[in-house]
Amino acid sequence: MTQAATPDHYVVIGNPVAHSKSPYIHAAFAAQTAQALDYQRLLAPLDGFAASVQAFRQQGGKGANVTVPFKLDACALATQLTTRAAAAGAVNTLRFDGDKILGDNTDGIGLVTDIVRNAGVQLQGKRILLLGAGGAARGSLLPLLEQLPAELVIANRTLSKAQELQQLAQQYVTQIPVFARTFSDVDGHFDVIINATSASLQDDVPPLAGSLFDAGTLAYDLMYAAQPTAFLRFAATHGAQCRDGLGMLVEQAAEAFFIWRGVRPDTLTVLADLRQALNPTAEA
């Protein structure tokens, strides 16, 4: 009888963290790819992120996902950053290699993969509107620009914050036009409109003109819930195709799994199972 391999240990670190779906997702990936992996939740004190990570490493931990409010702490703790993590200024994935701590940010590539592969919407040559200028928008910036859109417009309530992201974008990609606007100054038609604001948490919508949307627009909300968010409901009334961020959650996890294990899992079955659990009457 073959002895089972001793599993490598991974965690998702946050505060709070009990709600995280990451253990389910990574257990499914591990089973699917025959990887010996144990993945748990780790609640870190608000002032004890670095100590929690170091204790986990000393216990033999191999890597971690990082959720709120520790993505900036993770960025500071990493001894090496990927380009996309440096551009985001935040880290959601850590890999421990001896004394080295690699910090990556898989949120943006998770978003892009869900749009391009799962939703079947190409971003190359398209006009994209990115709503918000906080951490979620910043993490999406470089992966979106790497898709070579025709242009990217960053809209925010405060213009100066949108301009900060515009300047950041131009440090990495110079051939793509990037514009900063307030919500009220955005006009024209967009192929893709991405809500990276926190408005959906309050069941609210950024103050946008309905004319930005039509049947050729993909409206994408980084948030997800059992029912469509206020942003997606607003977009749907103007004819847009709508997609929430559940696929992004699964795809960013798959990218982290690849960083740790060198294996790319199939995400569609996991996404379908999560969608069914979130809303038994919905389709993935």
Side-chain angles (χ1 to χ4, degrees):
M1 187 173 180
T2 304
Q3 186 174 0
T6 302
D8 292 329
H9 295 281
Y10 298 86
V11 291
V12 55
I13 306 177
N15 187 333
V17 77
H19 66 286
S20 175
K21 292 179 171 58
S22 293
Y24 168 81
I25 295 171
H26 284 282
F29 288 164
Q32 178 195 115
T33 58
Q35 294 288 304
L37 180 153
D38 176 74
Y39 189 109
Q40 303 292 331
R41 298 177 181 90
L42 176 59
L43 177 67
L46 292 176
D47 60 351
F49 173 78
S52 296
V53 171
Q54 298 298 6
F56 179 64
R57 289 180 69 202
Q58 289 167 9
Q59 294 162 9
K62 297 292 187 180
N65 287 134
V66 182
T67 186
V68 291
F70 297 126
K71 292 184 181 182
L72 297 182
D73 301 81
C75 191
L77 185 66
T79 60
Q80 179 183 347
L81 294 175
T82 64
T83 300
R84 60 194 180 194
V91 160
N92 77 336
T93 301
L94 296 170
R95 188 182 73 200
F96 310 134
D97 298 325
D99 293 333
K100 185 176 76 175
I101 302 176
L102 175 70
D104 203 346
N105 189 306
T106 65
D107 286 331
I109 192 63
L111 167 68
V112 166
T113 302
D114 190 45
I115 291 174
V116 173
R117 193 179 67 192
N118 299 342
V121 175
Q122 299 304 307
L123 297 175
Q124 184 173 352
K126 301 297 180 65
R127 193 168 188 240
I128 301 175
L129 174 60
L130 180 62
L131 305 174
R138 183 169 170 144
S140 304
L141 204 55
L142 185 56
L144 286 172
L145 290 170
E146 287 174 338
Q147 293 297 301
L148 304 178
E151 69 176 52
L152 176 67
V153 177
I154 303 164
N156 193 59
R157 198 176 302 273
T158 306
L159 179 61
S160 60
K161 291 186 177 180
Q163 290 171 331
E164 288 175 15
L165 260 67
Q166 177 191 28
Q167 292 166 8
L168 174 67
Q170 290 169 341
Q171 291 177 26
Y172 289 92
V173 178
T174 57
Q175 73 271 32
I176 310 280
V178 179
F179 303 99
R181 300 281 188 269
T182 62
F183 291 133
S184 59
D185 287 336
V186 179
D187 57 16
H189 167 266
F190 289 89
D191 301 293
V192 179
I193 300 178
I194 300 166
N195 182 24
T197 74
S198 59
S200 292
L201 292 174
Q202 290 80 43
D203 200 38
D204 199 3
V205 183
L208 300 170
S211 59
L212 301 177
F213 304 84
D214 64 21
T217 304
L218 173 67
Y220 194 105
D221 199 329
L222 269 56
M223 304 292 178
Y224 65 90
Q227 301 299 324
T229 64
F231 169 75
L232 294 182
R233 296 195 305 270
F234 175 76
T237 64
H238 297 283
Q241 308 168 56
C242 294
R243 191 170 183 89
D244 69 13
L246 190 64
M248 174 183 172
L249 173 71
V250 176
E251 293 297 345
Q252 66 79 25
E255 185 72 11
F257 192 88
F258 177 74
I259 291 164
W260 295 330
R261 312 300 296 182
V263 177
R264 289 201 177 275
D266 172 52
T267 55
L268 294 182
T269 55
V270 178
L271 176 56
D273 289 345
L274 280 174
R275 179 70 69 194
Q276 179 71 16
L278 186 66
N279 185 347
T281 64
E283 296 181 1

